[in-house]
Amino acid sequence: MLGINGTELIILAVIAVIVLGPERLPEYAAQLARLVKQVRRMAAGAKEQLREEVGDEIVDMDWRKLDPRQYDPRRIIKEALLDDDDFPTLSAGATAAGAAGAAGTAVKAVSRPTQAAGERLEPGQPAPFDIEAT
């Protein structure tokens, strides 16, 4: 509470006794107690008013899901990278027309033979189409 530990609270109480004096201290303590009660009543009233205006949905809400401290960008990126792809993949013999059709665009169909990795293309032969790279 307010970052005050027990020792600091005792020191503050001793300073209050010295500054206020034993005659006025009970009066100020009573005022402090009234202030705390009033603040608690105001908080309870605001909570009740919010419940009336929003409804019972606010009671059932899981507030921990909305806590911004739980979001770690490193964890989010790691989970996104490790998730399985939800996109269909093309087989090795798929054509550009099939890939374009999956994307919903019209492309002139080009039949391409499959190439082994590292094998050079013939002069004038178009490069293979990779749907994941575009």
Side-chain angles (χ1 to χ4, degrees), residues 2-18:
L2 300 174
I4 299 175
N5 60 24
T7 308
E8 292 172 348
L9 186 63
I10 292 172
I11 292 171
L12 287 174
V14 169
I15 291 173
V17 168
I18 293 171

Side-chain angles (χ1 to χ4, degrees), residues 18-40:
I18 293 171
V19 171
L20 298 175
E23 304 87 32
R24 293 185 290 174
L25 190 60
E27 178 185 331
Y28 284 111
Q31 285 180 357
L32 180 63
R34 282 193 300 270
L35 177 69
V36 169
K37 287 179 185 178
Q38 185 178 9
V39 168
R40 284 186 180 172

